[in-house]
Amino acid sequence: EAGVVQSPRYKIIEKKQPVAFWCNPISGHNTLYWYRQNLGQGPELLIRYENEEAVDDSQLPKDRFSAERLKGVDSTLKIQPAELGDSAVYLCASSSTRGRGNIQYFGAGTRLSVL
Amino acid sequence: GQSLEQPSEVTAVEGAIVQINCTYQTSGFYGLSWYQQHDGGAPTFLSYNALDGLEETGRFSSFLSRSDSYGYLLLQELQMKDSASYFCAVGGSYIPTFGRGTSLIVHP
């Protein structure tokens, strides 16, 4: 079974440029998460989807960040325009079980550098 | 809100036992999870406690005391490959929140 796939793995852009990240979750997983992880910190939730519905986006900076999950499968996270402080690793995770600890399976992440 | 506290760094020698503590504050509680993350890698699930007590999975065990809002991860027979960051996480109100992580350094 394939894991969570993210692309690209690395992205270097100049500030004020747009950038997009893509995530393909594990087949059959209805819950999808986007996290941001700064160096030396734990993952911070940006948005969570149940199927195609965003059920928690309180921590998503909506002035510049947007996300979508069309057809409840793949998801895209976009930043426009990017700022220097957006440099981080963006992780996507998926899960299918609400019962037992909601085990999350993470992708390898996209490392974003904003210059 | 939710917050978790764990030590920033723990060091140990190969073959030893190490305990990583985690205290949490959360409104609503959906269990305490532990994840491992190697440098440049993805976090991977290790263990989960919904109820008080000890859960054992091979060399790793996790403990929870809900009355104390406290848990720990116990790693036995440490190996060099266990050098990584370890995160505790809670799902209070079903919003997953991770601690800042504990960097475990295993020396030969």
Side-chain angles (χ1 to χ4, degrees):
Chain A
E1 178 183 82
V4 176
V5 179
Q6 291 187 246
S7 69
R9 284 298 316 276
Y10 304 92
K11 189 72 176 179
I12 301 174
I13 61 172
E14 294 187 346
K15 63 180 180 181
K16 301 184 180 179
Q17 294 299 306
V19 65
F21 314 124
W22 175 81
C23 174
N24 179 241
I26 292 173
S27 178
H29 281 193
N30 59 318
T31 307
L32 184 146
Y33 311 78
W34 281 104
Y35 290 90
R36 176 170 56 192
Q37 185 174 27
N38 291 305
L39 189 65
Q41 305 287 321
E44 175 191 17
L45 181 71
L46 292 174
I47 189 168
R48 177 170 66 95
Y49 282 93
E50 292 288 345
N51 299 305
E52 64 271 15
E53 181 183 0
V55 295
D56 181 52
D57 62 355
S58 58
Q59 300 187 94
L60 188 73
K62 297 182 181 63
D63 57 336
R64 298 183 300 107
F65 286 64
S66 64
E68 62 181 8
R69 190 183 185 196
L70 299 177
K71 301 181 180 179
V73 181
D74 293 1
S75 178
T76 303
L77 178 69
K78 298 179 181 178
I79 308 175
Q80 182 171 12
E83 296 179 352
L84 296 177
D86 296 331
S87 295
V89 175
Y90 291 83
L91 294 164
C92 177
S94 69
S95 67
S96 68
T97 304
R98 287 178 70 95
R100 188 182 179 273
N102 195 31
I103 298 172
Q104 298 179 52
Y105 298 86
F106 284 82
T110 297
R111 185 175 298 273
L112 174 67
S113 295
V114 182
L115 306 178
Chain B
Q2 300 175 138
S3 65
L4 300 99
E5 292 290 331
Q6 52 182 130
S8 60
E9 185 177 294
V10 173
T11 61
V13 297
E14 208 172 5
I17 299 172
V18 72
Q19 179 174 312
I20 299 174
N21 299 318
C22 175
T23 57
Y24 59 87
Q25 289 184 315
T26 180
S27 53
F29 183 70
Y30 288 82
L32 186 69
S33 302
W34 290 91
Y35 287 80
Q36 178 192 61
Q37 186 178 33
H38 287 96
D39 280 349
T44 56
F45 173 81
L46 291 176
S47 188
Y48 168 74
N49 296 74
L51 303 175
D52 292 352
L54 193 67
E55 290 281 343
E56 298 180 81
T57 309
R59 295 188 297 114
F60 295 171
S61 302
S62 59
F63 172 82
L64 175 67
S65 169
R66 288 174 295 171
S67 61
D68 296 321
S69 297
Y70 163 76
Y72 65 73
L73 180 70
L74 191 72
L75 298 87
Q76 303 182 71
E77 301 173 15
L78 281 175
Q79 303 175 10
M80 296 297 291
K81 68 179 181 179
D82 296 328
S83 292
S85 291
Y86 293 83
F87 297 92
C88 56
V90 292
S93 302
Y94 223 67
I95 300 173
T97 302
F98 285 75
R100 294 170 63 109
T102 298
S103 177
L104 172 63
I105 302 171
V106 181
H107 295 287

